[in-house]
Amino acid sequence: DSKGTDAGKAPAKTTKYDAVIVGAGFAGMYMLHRLRGMGLNAHVFEAGSDVGGTWFWNRYPGARVDIESQEYSFSFSKDLEEEWQWTERYAPQGELLDYANHIADRFDLRRDISFNTRVESARYDDQSGLWRIMTDQGETIEARYCVMATGCLSAAKTPDIPGAGNFKGETLSTATWPDDTDLTGKRVGIIGTGSSGIQTITTIAPQVEELYVFQRTPNYSVPAHNRPLDPSVREDWLANREDYRQQQRESGIGIVALEAGEDLALEQSEEDRQREFERRWAKGGFCVGAPYADTGVDPAANKLLADFVAGKIRGIVKDPHTADLLIPKTYPFGTKRLVVDTGYFEVYNQDNVHLIDLNETPIETITETGLRTSERDYEFDTLIYAIGFDAMTGALDRIDIRGRDGLKLKDKWAAGPLTYLGLTVSGFPNMFMITGPGSPSVLSNMIVSIEQHVDWIADCIHDMGERQLTVVEATPEAEAEWVAHVNEIADTTLYPQANSWYLGANVPGKPRVFMPYVGGVGVYREVCDEVAANGYKGFTLS
Ligand code: FAD
Ligand code: N01
């Protein structure tokens, strides 16, 4: 064991594992469980002090899932599913963290996890065929397999705003929210109106004295209609669990409640369309965004849905100018991640909530006491950053990953991520990514995608062992073909029209490439299964 060794003392000993897993969110936890079940000596390194990933870090007020709780949960263990009780239609962060802890306890995962340990580098050694991994605790580890379970939304952006260090009051970030914060009676400024900002704003608006919301781009948001979970929902889910789980796996985005419409909006009568839009609005959640098959690909169909939602915003927000500022106008509906809220637009009817449009009056600088826009100074006690993540590639970029011949992943990806199936990278043998770029990932119910990836990786490693093979590597040809396919089908949709984090547009200098695979989780699963069934087509095995 090499624990406790630091620079200047004797060189660290090297610890050997069959597989190293980076990250102890849902992906890393399930990966550990699977590999251990196969008899492998696997070990997880996690930067945080406990399990849970997203739900460990993002403790801001109002943080909750936007997919129905029973759908956003693991399916791999029937017992786990039967013993766990969700209390709300959309589980809050605390309950999701409890769920992660329950899984860690139930499957005795912690004994193979090193917490408070950040992986700084992972280098493939051509000679030995092993990955050499180094941590910020001075450990060196060798492992045949390296699985990156580092998360798609785990590398929080640092504020790219002039004067960010100036503020003398309390500064908070939604992505690293402390437990002991009380905003009651405070004057608060918040920058960012994505899902994190919207959940925070909605929850703190009634408590704080004044709330200044600094909005750069308005977001489409639809009602969650959250409520205590009706026992009948649980009963029905458990009674039909096999069927529902299969539906998730075969679906577009891994959500049964989506009820993805198959008809075309443009072929309906105005009356039928409005009835369907209203029905979905009353049901709540992502289903609002999927009434017809053409709204994601046809601008005219998309506009019908966008206009419907704009009408809803105008109906809720009393001040017409504020309502107008809250209506997105620069991108099609659904091309930035849809927000699912609990009374968001309503808070703008409160006298203490002020919306500032940063397009009209941009931020000039953060000041010691608040923030200055081109129009005036704002003063507050607390400044909240809800400015998002360097998504999909950020957590990987922050590790010095090198493959064959010292090739740096960051260099290979300089013009955008290149992967085969979003699972592997040519030139990086025996390295896997869970929900990597080029897989459905963030366009889906992430738990469904995590399970599929973990199972595929575990099966691949198992098959390698059976055949006494030690190296699996994507070919450059298979990778190039996959990347072309991912881009080609993204271009058949309206997605590329938004400046979204799906495209890296939220990070200055990041190449503009649509990263997730839009083909759907069902289709994608078939592709992955076919690749495996055909002797790992597109890979070289040795
Ligand atoms: P994470 O949960 O991000 O875990 C990755 C872990 O890796 C982290 O704990 C991190 O500390 C660790 N790590 C990263 N780099 C290193 C390193 N170099 N060394 C050591 N450790 C490292 N998805 C949905 O499907 N539905 C939702 O409703 C939903 N809500 C979300 C809400 C928020 C606020 C956010 C941020 C994301 C949400 N997501 C949602 C996406 C969410 O990230 C996934 O659902 C899921 O939790 C991802 O699990 P994961 O294990 O892949 O990654
Ligand atoms: O981040 P975001 P998020 N000056 O990137 C603004 C998941 N999630 O953490 O759009 C001013 O969406 C930025 O403005 P703009 C979900 O997948 C889910 O909220 O770039 N503003 C935007 O408004 C989600 O999509 C839930 O113009 C700046 C905001 O900050 C993903 O995580 C909850 C700025 C960032 O929004 C990320 O969501 C939370 C600047 N310099 C998260 N920089 C659920 O509900 C950024 N902004 C389940």
Side-chain angles (χ1 to χ4, degrees):
D1 199 331
S2 62
K3 267 217 169 93
T5 311
D6 56 26
K9 294 191 183 158
K13 271 195 286 173
T14 300
T15 312
K16 291 188 192 277
Y17 297 110
D18 297 325
V20 157
I21 300 160
V22 189
F26 287 132
M29 292 168 80
Y30 180 43
M31 192 76 245
L32 173 62
H33 177 63
R34 277 299 316 266
L35 293 183
R36 223 159 57 175
M38 286 158 43
L40 263 73
N41 183 13
H43 197 85
V44 179
F45 293 93
E46 166 56 55
S49 63
D50 212 333
V51 296
T54 284
W55 307 106
F56 170 85
W57 295 108
N58 293 265
R59 299 172 188 228
Y60 60 83
R64 65 176 67 249
V65 75
D66 58 10
I67 293 170
E68 273 90 338
S69 308
Q70 70 281 0
E71 297 218 40
Y72 186 81
S73 71
F74 279 122
S75 73
F76 69 83
S77 161
K78 185 165 180 274
D79 291 346
L80 170 67
E81 204 160 359
E82 284 177 351
E83 75 205 12
W84 186 260
Q85 301 248 10
W86 298 106
T87 63
E88 295 181 55
R89 183 177 178 194
Y90 300 93
Q93 170 269 332
E95 195 164 302
L96 288 152
L97 188 56
D98 288 348
Y99 178 65
N101 277 296
H102 174 72
I103 291 167
D105 294 341
R106 191 186 195 291
F107 299 103
D108 190 18
L109 298 179
R110 286 195 183 80
R111 69 183 155 88
D112 287 320
I113 306 178
S114 296
F115 293 107
N116 301 306
T117 308
R118 182 169 288 281
V119 167
E120 292 187 325
S121 66
R123 297 179 186 182
Y124 184 72
D125 182 62
D126 292 87
Q127 299 286 297
S128 62
L130 299 177
W131 281 91
R132 176 172 277 256
I133 288 132
M134 298 180 81
T135 74
D136 64 355
Q137 299 301 305
E139 289 164 295
T140 304
I141 303 100
E142 275 181 358
R144 182 156 309 282
Y145 295 103
C146 179
V147 183
M148 296 299 181
T150 42
C152 291
L153 295 160
S154 60
K157 281 200 334 175
T158 40
D160 47 356
I161 297 168
N166 292 348
F167 188 61
K168 294 260 191 285
E170 180 184 35
T171 303
L172 299 169
S173 161
T174 50
T176 49
W177 197 272
D179 271 334
D180 53 355
T181 309
D182 184 6
L183 297 175
T184 311
K186 291 195 175 152
R187 295 168 306 159
V188 176
I190 181 166
I191 302 175
T193 51
S195 299
S196 303
I198 284 181
Q199 288 185 329
T200 306
I201 292 161
T202 313
T203 310
I204 66 174
Q207 309 162 6
V208 300
E209 188 183 305
E210 301 292 340
L211 181 58
Y212 300 96
V213 177
F214 298 95
Q215 172 188 276
R216 192 164 64 182
T217 313
N219 251 306
Y220 285 105
S221 188
V222 301
H225 300 312
N226 189 33
R227 50 181 173 256
L229 192 69
D230 191 316
S232 67
V233 173
R234 177 179 156 78
E235 281 159 29
D236 174 62
W237 184 265
L238 291 180
N240 299 292
R241 118 176 232 287
E242 294 294 339
D243 182 35
Y244 287 143
R245 290 302 191 182
Q246 199 51 31
Q247 283 184 44
Q248 284 187 321
R249 294 182 190 117
E250 290 171 3
S251 68
I253 67 166
I255 304 176
V256 177
L258 189 73
E259 285 187 59
E262 288 172 5
D263 297 334
L264 300 181
L266 293 173
E267 289 180 356
Q268 313 304 307
S269 70
E270 174 66 14
E271 199 188 346
D272 285 350
R273 221 166 25 223
Q274 288 304 311
R275 195 180 313 114
E276 182 60 4
F277 288 163
E278 288 288 358
R279 183 183 77 78
R280 287 175 181 260
W281 188 266
K283 187 180 167 196
F286 280 128
C287 80
V288 178
Y292 296 106
D294 50 354
T295 54
V297 291
D298 185 322
N302 187 281
K303 185 159 187 314
L304 294 167
L305 183 52
D307 287 348
F308 169 79
V309 176
K312 287 291 180 192
I313 297 171
R314 285 203 184 87
I316 297 168
V317 181
K318 292 190 180 127
D319 174 50
H321 179 61
T322 306
D324 196 51
L325 292 181
L326 289 165
I327 295 170
K329 296 175 190 73
T330 54
Y331 59 95
F333 179 92
T335 52
K336 287 181 100 157
R337 162 88 173 203
L338 190 59
V339 182
V340 179
D341 73 76
T342 299
Y344 174 58
F345 295 113
E346 286 82 346
V347 303
Y348 292 96
N349 294 331
Q350 289 180 211
D351 291 339
N352 67 331
V353 180
H354 318 280
L355 182 66
I356 297 103
D357 175 15
L358 295 180
N359 296 302
E360 230 171 274
T361 58
I363 298 177
E364 288 190 344
T365 184
I366 307 287
T367 64
E368 287 190 12
T369 51
L371 182 161
R372 182 173 309 137
T373 67
S374 58
E375 184 192 38
R376 56 165 276 204
D377 272 14
Y378 294 88
E379 297 207 338
F380 31 80
D381 308 305
T382 303
L383 171 59
I384 301 174
Y385 288 109
I387 55 173
F389 300 86
D390 183 352
M392 304 208 74
T393 54
L396 295 166
D397 270 355
R398 291 177 190 186
I399 305 173
D400 181 8
I401 303 175
R402 299 190 195 193
R404 278 194 199 284
D405 305 321
L407 176 64
K408 281 191 186 182
L409 186 69
K410 213 174 161 172
D411 290 344
K412 172 161 178 162
W413 285 7
L418 305 172
T419 74
Y420 181 38
L421 303 172
L423 272 164
T424 58
V425 184
S426 168
F428 296 76
N430 292 354
M431 185 187 89
F432 298 96
M433 296 165 297
I434 301 175
T435 65
S439 74
S441 181
V442 290
L443 292 181
S444 69
N445 176 345
M446 288 288 274
I447 305 262
V448 173
S449 287
I450 285 169
E451 280 195 326
Q452 185 249 335
H453 264 191
V454 168
D455 287 338
W456 193 94
I457 295 165
D459 291 348
C460 174
I461 291 176
H462 176 263
D463 292 349
M464 297 278 296
E466 290 283 288
R467 295 163 62 180
Q468 300 192 333
L469 298 168
T470 52
V471 184
V472 52
E473 182 180 358
T475 66
E477 295 77 22
E479 181 179 86
E481 220 176 285
W482 183 252
V483 170
H485 174 59
V486 169
N487 290 330
E488 195 185 318
I489 57 169
D491 287 341
T492 66
T493 72
L494 302 175
Y495 276 116
Q497 294 186 20
N499 289 324
S500 69
W501 57 257
Y502 297 137
L503 278 148
N506 65 331
V507 175
K510 198 166 168 174
R512 193 180 171 96
V513 175
F514 192 80
M515 293 182 283
Y517 174 68
V518 297
V521 300
V523 171
Y524 174 78
R525 176 185 297 268
E526 277 176 26
V527 173
C528 291
D529 289 350
E530 215 176 278
V531 164
N534 287 321
Y536 294 93
K537 198 172 85 191
F539 289 95
T540 52
L541 308 179
S542 56

